[in-house]
Amino acid sequence: QKEVEQNSGPLSVPEGAIASLNCTYSDRVSQSFFWYRQYSGKSPELIMSIYSNGDKEDGRFTAQLNKASQYVSLLIRDSQPSDSATYLCATLNQAGTALIFGKGTTLSVSS
Amino acid sequence: EPEVTQTPSHQVTQMGQEVILRCVPISNHLYFYWYRQILGQKVEFLVSFYNNEISEKSEIFDDQFSVERPDGSNFTLKIRSTKLEDSAMYFCASSEVAGVPSYEQYFGPGTRLTVT
């Protein structure tokens, strides 16, 4: 049974700082990882996907994957108050047909 | 930008009643999913659907639940004999492909189901 673990937070950063969100996973064969943002009472919104070791950048967001350490992270540069949300880490199940989510990390960006 | 839509946004029902939650996936997507999120808990997979049949289901998705694609655009989740513990947000999602690393799932806005 795959597990995805996240620190629930809250993680508090000042506006303009770098927010670092971390995720570990239990199944060494996992290949695909996704970061979703979820505002309170809303649905998950896909931010980034990453499949290869290393970094992947998209605007202010950088996803980092280290398969040897079974570790995925999301960096948010120049954090804005509008980034305040819960960030969900997810991976695929064995068949690749379902997402397995972590509990999410709550980020609070203060102005 | 294409998006997944869901109706209703909020459904209140009495225990023991049947509810149908509706979803319109993104038009060129072939795989459809239902997830649920009980308040304060993680998002949980219920079922995936492809080519008019269930491709995978979780332990949660027992005989109380069923899914259907009644026409070319809608995808529905039926919950029979609802229980208090079925109260949750139900999300529909869709993806172009599945089973390969590069697929991505896009979520609808959700239906909040309240069972009283």
Side-chain angles (χ1 to χ4, degrees), chain A residues 1-5 24-27 30 91 100-102, chain B residues 42:
Chain A
Q1 177 73 11
K2 292 192 179 187
E3 297 286 339
V4 176
E5 298 292 336
T24 59
Y25 57 96
S26 61
D27 192 339
S30 293
T91 187
I100 300 169
F101 284 89
Chain B
K42 65 172 68 173

Side-chain angles (χ1 to χ4, degrees), chain A residues 3-4 31-32 34 36 38 41-44 46 48-49 51 56 88 92-93 95-99 101-103, chain B residues 31 33 35 37 41-45 48 55-56 89 91 98-110 112:
Chain A
E3 297 286 339
V4 176
Q31 295 187 56
S32 311
F34 306 87
Y36 286 82
Q38 186 176 33
K42 303 296 185 182
S43 62
L46 182 65
M48 297 276 290
S49 56
Y51 319 108
K56 179 181 178 182
L88 309 178
L92 288 173
N93 67 349
T97 55
L99 288 169
F101 284 89
K103 288 187 175 181
Chain B
Y31 290 82
Y33 313 85
Y35 293 83
Q37 186 176 32
Q41 299 187 24
K42 65 172 68 173
V43 177
E44 301 174 290
F45 167 74
S48 58
S55 53
E56 184 147 5
M89 281 288 285
F91 297 112
V100 294
S102 58
Y103 94 111
E104 296 173 340
Q105 293 186 18
Y106 295 89
F107 283 68
R112 179 172 299 283

Side-chain angles (χ1 to χ4, degrees), chain B:
Chain B
E1 183 174 324
E3 57 184 20
V4 178
T5 60
Q6 291 185 244
T7 55
S9 58
H10 190 189
Q11 175 86 50
V12 181
T13 189
Q14 288 189 328
M15 200 165 48
Q17 296 298 304
E18 175 181 288
V19 295
I20 297 176
L21 311 183
R22 291 180 168 79
C23 166
V24 178
I26 295 172
S27 62
N28 65 330
H29 284 188
L30 301 178
Y31 290 82
F32 315 126
Y33 313 85
W34 285 101
Y35 293 83
R36 78 173 184 189
Q37 186 176 32
I38 296 171
L39 187 64
Q41 299 187 24
K42 65 172 68 173
V43 177
E44 301 174 290
F45 167 74
L46 293 177
V47 65
S48 58
F49 191 86
Y50 169 71
N51 199 26
N52 282 319
E53 61 182 27
I54 291 173
S55 53
E56 184 147 5
K57 59 183 181 180
S58 71
E59 293 176 351
I60 303 169
F61 194 90
D62 59 19
D63 292 343
Q64 186 192 2
F65 296 88
S66 62
V67 290
E68 189 180 30
R69 187 153 166 84
D71 54 45
S73 59
N74 290 283
F75 179 50
T76 62
L77 174 68
K78 182 187 292 185
I79 309 174
R80 288 179 284 274
S81 188
T82 50
K83 299 175 280 194
L84 294 176
E85 53 264 40
D86 294 327
S87 295
M89 281 288 285
Y90 287 81
F91 297 112
C92 175
S94 69
S95 65
E96 279 188 76
V97 295
V100 294
S102 58
Y103 94 111
E104 296 173 340
Q105 293 186 18
Y106 295 89
F107 283 68
T111 293
R112 179 172 299 283
L113 176 65
T114 302
V115 182
T116 61

